[in-house]
Each structure stands twice: as structure tokens, then as C-alpha cells.
């Protein structure tokens, strides 16, 4: 058994090294000659891989304790289900990370080639791009003549600055002037909320709970679950509590996410937090803004905001509110200039 565990650890270690280095090398090798790549930072994929690997190691740790405890036959079904679920989650996250690695854009001075997972590659000449909007400091969108959005490039992507420079050089000047003069003129309402990755984690936790409930219903009818909880050892109790606790935490987290968002337009923003009433905050009423940043690579990324008004102080954290962050910061900086709002940077 010790040799088997040692072999599994070696295999898992080799897999981690392969995930960290192999996918990145293949992505670089796929770049066409004479073109540059625009893609999400590899570190985001590594986080997805790490979540899958660490949850597998977490289950493996308690599995070792279960085996050393004598592997009671009464808990084998539940432990088998737990191990299978953990392996499937790890495989799913590895698959998601690999799919994210195929979402990229190749470009040069003549064309833009967009690669999407499960879709055919699309190539556009720069002459076909007829409209540009957004903000080069945070995010930029490219459109065709009929208004079809071709691409959204965001700050933080690999070669984002190079891509923006290419847009400025290759797109006609009339498009650039249209972008500068019409940005944010039309009324719009956007939202800042939790990122999609957190909804995925909550769905996984609820899925684990549903699978356990479906499996344990027959056992509950025979009162074997209550018996194991009262008389079972640590490993049996852990298998009984893991899914309910994971599911309840996921449900609570999902409710919190659904009730946490900031909707904003050019006139005002509506801040909604759980167990708090909605607050409507007009841009013109903001007297001072404090911004806390964290250094990432060569650039500073804003993480926290404090908005001061006569009525009170409003705090916004970008640690979890990642969906729509770039668009929110774009209009925030525009409103700072429009209303002459005092802005300062703090350490925390």
C-alpha cells in the first residue's frame, strides 16, 4: 500500500509539472510565424489547475487516514464516491484550464486571427474593423461595419499594450477620432459583480451535495446513516459531513453573490450588498475617492475603493467583484475628470 501511495504521489507531481510547463510551451509553439499572441495570463490557468490538484490532495490526505483506520466496510461506498467525485472535479478543472488556453488571438500589421475553443478560426483584415470603443487604459472592443462585435481585449492580457499600439497604427484616423469623441456619450447601464469562476465553484459544491443526497437516500431509509454518525469513527463522520457542509456553504455563497452587485450609469450607481438596503450614489455627490492598489508584474492593479460623500463612506472591493471591473474603472476615471473629484492612492 505504501508503494502504491508513493507511486500516486510521483504521478501527481509529474502531472502538476506537465500542466505548468507543457500547455504553455504548446501555446507558444502554435503562434504563427510573424504574428504576436493576445491571451489571458497563464497564471489564471495555473490557479484553476491548483484548485483541482489541492482538492484532490485534500481528499487523498483523509483517504490515507481512513485506510490507516482499517478501512471500515460500512464507509467504503461513501469513500469511493468521494474519491471518484474528487477525481472528476480535478479532471474537469484541468479540462477547463486547457480550454482557456485555446482562447487566444494572433495578430500582425495585416490581420487579426481569433481562436476560440470548439469553434473554427476566424480571420479579419484590419480594414474590416470599422468601429472601436472602450478605453485603451482598461479594455477595448472591435466591431465590424454591421455592428458585430469581433473582439474584446482587456488590461492584463498578454501583449495587451502591443495590441493597442497595433490598433492605433492600423485603424484609420477617422475611427480613432470617432472613438475619442463619442466614448460614453450614449446613456448606458452596466454592472459590477462576482466573477464567473465563483459561480462555477458554488455550482460544483451544490452538485456534490445533490450527488450525495441521491446516493444516501436508500441508506437513510435503513437508518444506517444515523448509526454511522453515532457509532462510527472519524473517517465515517467525515464522509457524512463533507457533502452537506460543502453544499450549505456553496448555497450561502451563491445567495451572497446574487445579492452583491453595483449597477451604474453616467448619472449614478446603485450599490447592493447582502443584509443591507440599496444605496443610490450620484457621481456628482462624491467628494473624495481613495484607491488602494497592489503591484502585479510591472503595473499596479486597483483592489479597493473608498467613496466619500456627505452622507457617508462607501467601500468597494475588487478582490471578488471582477466581472465588469475594467468598464467600471473606465467610467470612474472619466467621472473623476468630469466632476473634478479629489482622488488619492493609499496603501490599504
Amino acid at each position: 500500500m505504501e508503494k502504491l501511495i508513493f507511486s500516486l504521489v510521483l504521478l501527481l507531481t509529474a502531472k502538476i509539472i506537465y500542466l505548468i510547463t507543457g500547455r504553455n510551451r504548446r501555446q507558444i509553439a502554435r503562434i504563427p510565424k510573424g504574428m504576436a499572441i493576445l491571451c489571458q495570463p497563464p497564471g489564471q490557468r495555473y490557479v484553476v489547475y491548483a484548485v483541482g490538484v489541492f482538492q484532490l490532495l485534500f481528499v487523498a490526505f483523509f483517504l490515507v487516514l481512513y485506510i490507516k483506520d482499517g478501512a471500515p466496510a460500512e464507509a467504503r461506498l461513501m469513500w469511493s464516491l468521494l474519491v471518484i467525485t474528487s477525481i472528476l472535479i480535478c479532471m474537469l478543472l484541468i479540462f477547463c484550464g486547457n480550454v482557456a488556453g485555446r482562447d487566444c488571438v494572433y495578430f500582425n500589421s495585416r490581420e487579426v486571427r481569433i481562436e476560440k475553443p470548439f469553434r473554427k478560426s476566424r480571420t479579419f483584415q484590419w480594414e474590416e474593423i470599422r468601429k472601436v470603443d472602450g478605453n485603451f487604459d482598461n479594455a477595448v472592443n472591435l466591431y465590424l461595419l454591421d455592428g458585430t462585435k469581433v473582439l474584446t481585449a482587456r488590461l492584463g492580457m498578454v501583449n495587451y499594450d502591443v495590441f493597442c499600439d497595433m490598433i492605433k497604427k492600423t485603424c484609420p484616423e477617422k475611427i480613432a477620432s470617432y472613438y475619442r469623441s463619442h466614448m460614453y456619450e450614449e446613456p448606458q447601464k452596466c454592472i459590477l459583480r462576482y466573477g464567473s469562476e465563483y459561480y462555477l465553484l458554488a455550482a460544483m459544491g451544490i452538485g456534490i451535495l445533490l450527488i450525495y443526497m441521491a446516493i444516501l437516500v436508500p441508506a437513510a431509509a435503513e437508518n444506517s446513516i444515523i448509526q454511522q454518525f453515532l457509532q462510527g469513527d472519524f473517517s465515517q463522520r467525515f464522509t457524512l459531513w463533507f457533502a452537506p457542509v460543502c453544499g450549505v456553504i456553496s448555497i450561502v455563497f451563491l445567495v451572497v453573490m446574487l445579492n452583491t452587485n453595483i449597477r451604474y450609469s453616467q448619472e449614478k450607481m446603485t450599490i447592493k450588498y447582502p443584509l443591507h438596503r440599496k444605496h443610490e450614489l450620484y457621481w456628482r455627490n462624491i467628494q473624495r475617492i481613495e484607491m488602494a492598489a497592489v503591484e502585479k508584474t510591472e503595473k499596479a492593479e486597483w483592489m479597493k475603493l473608498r467613496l466619500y460623500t456627505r452622507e457617508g463612506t462607501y467601500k468597494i472591493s475588487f478582490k471578488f467583484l471582477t466581472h465588469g471591473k475594467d468598464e467600471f474603472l473606465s467610467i470612474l476615471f472619466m467621472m473623476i475628470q468630469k466632476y473634478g473629484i479629489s482622488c488619492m492612492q493609499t496603501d490599504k
Side-chain angles (χ1 to χ4, degrees):
M1 180 59 68
E2 293 181 357
K3 291 184 178 179
L4 177 60
I5 295 175
F6 182 72
S7 300
L8 291 175
V9 171
L10 287 180
L11 180 62
L12 186 59
T13 304
K15 188 65 176 177
I16 294 172
I17 296 174
Y18 172 77
L19 290 174
I20 293 176
T21 61
R23 181 68 208 179
N24 198 36
R25 289 197 303 268
R26 292 198 303 274
Q27 187 179 46
I28 295 174
R30 287 170 54 90
I31 301 176
K33 186 177 180 180
M35 303 187 79
I37 187 173
L38 176 73
C39 64
Q40 296 295 338
Q44 293 187 2
R45 296 202 310 272
Y46 299 160
V47 171
V48 176
Y49 295 147
V51 171
V53 171
F54 281 124
Q55 65 87 25
L56 189 61
L57 291 175
F58 179 77
V59 174
F61 172 76
F62 285 98
L63 180 62
V64 172
L65 296 180
Y66 166 71
I67 294 174
K68 287 187 174 182
D69 200 28
E74 297 84 0
R76 288 178 184 174
L77 176 62
M78 290 179 290
W79 270 107
S80 300
L81 178 63
L82 179 62
V83 172
I84 293 173
T85 303
S86 179
I87 294 174
L88 290 176
I89 291 175
C90 184
M91 293 174 61
L92 175 62
L93 292 177
I94 292 174
F95 174 76
C96 292
N98 290 337
V99 168
R102 295 187 62 86
D103 186 0
C104 56
V105 178
Y106 306 115
F107 64 94
N108 56 21
S109 59
R110 298 186 305 275
E111 63 184 20
V112 180
R113 185 185 305 175
I114 302 175
E115 300 279 350
K116 292 286 185 181
F118 312 116
R119 296 182 186 179
K120 292 183 179 180
S121 174
R122 297 183 299 164
T123 302
F124 299 94
Q125 302 296 319
W126 283 110
E127 291 77 11
E128 300 179 62
I129 306 300
R130 303 304 301 273
K131 181 182 176 183
V132 180
D133 70 3
N135 189 321
F136 284 111
D137 294 330
N138 295 284
V140 60
N141 304 311
L142 306 182
Y143 299 86
L144 299 177
L145 181 62
D146 59 0
T148 303
K149 182 187 287 188
V150 174
L151 172 68
T152 297
R154 301 181 183 279
L155 179 66
M157 298 178 73
V158 177
N159 288 331
Y160 176 76
D161 293 336
V162 179
F163 186 73
C164 289
D165 291 339
M166 188 65 68
I167 294 176
K168 296 173 183 177
K169 292 177 182 177
T170 56
C171 287
E173 179 61 28
K174 61 180 182 180
I175 297 179
S177 61
Y178 175 86
Y179 159 68
R180 289 192 295 266
S181 60
H182 289 78
M183 186 174 22
Y184 301 117
E185 279 190 1
E186 297 181 1
Q188 56 177 338
K189 193 165 188 179
C190 304
I191 185 171
L192 175 68
R193 61 170 175 79
Y194 273 81
S196 303
E197 62 274 16
Y198 299 109
Y199 287 92
L200 176 62
L201 291 176
M204 288 169 52
I206 295 174
I208 292 174
L209 176 62
L210 294 177
I211 293 174
Y212 265 72
M213 290 177 62
I215 296 295
L216 297 181
V217 164
E222 302 173 0
N223 293 326
S224 59
I225 294 180
I226 300 176
Q227 220 171 37
Q228 290 180 21
F229 177 74
L230 296 176
Q231 303 176 1
D233 50 29
F234 171 77
S235 62
Q236 292 175 321
R237 295 184 181 183
F238 174 78
T239 54
L240 289 174
W241 279 106
F242 176 79
V245 171
C246 183
V248 170
I249 292 176
S250 299
I251 292 173
V252 172
F253 187 43
L254 182 61
V255 172
V256 170
M257 288 190 294
L258 293 175
N259 287 276
T260 304
N261 60 68
I262 299 174
R263 298 181 180 273
Y264 60 93
S265 64
Q266 295 186 54
E267 181 184 9
K268 63 180 180 180
M269 70 174 77
T270 303
I271 302 175
K272 181 181 179 183
Y273 289 133
L275 304 179
H276 292 82
R277 63 182 182 87
K278 291 183 180 180
H279 294 279
E280 287 192 351
L281 178 61
Y282 288 85
W283 296 107
R284 63 176 181 271
N285 293 334
I286 300 177
Q287 298 177 333
R288 180 164 57 93
I289 296 178
E290 290 183 358
M291 309 180 72
V294 60
E295 292 291 338
K296 288 193 175 182
T297 63
E298 298 178 354
K299 295 187 177 180
E301 182 174 335
W302 302 116
M303 296 300 295
K304 293 181 181 179
L305 289 180
R306 291 188 183 92
L307 311 177
Y308 293 90
T309 65
R310 292 182 179 179
E311 291 76 19
T313 303
Y314 302 89
K315 299 179 180 179
I316 300 175
S317 174
F318 296 118
K319 185 175 182 181
F320 301 107
L321 301 177
T322 57
H323 179 83
K325 173 184 174 182
D326 293 334
E327 291 81 359
F328 179 82
L329 287 174
S330 297
I331 196 170
L332 174 69
F333 289 128
M334 187 193 68
M335 293 303 169
I336 289 175
Q337 291 183 343
K338 181 177 180 180
Y339 293 105
I341 302 173
S342 173
C343 183
M344 61 179 296
Q345 182 176 341
T346 61
D347 296 330
K348 59 181 180 176

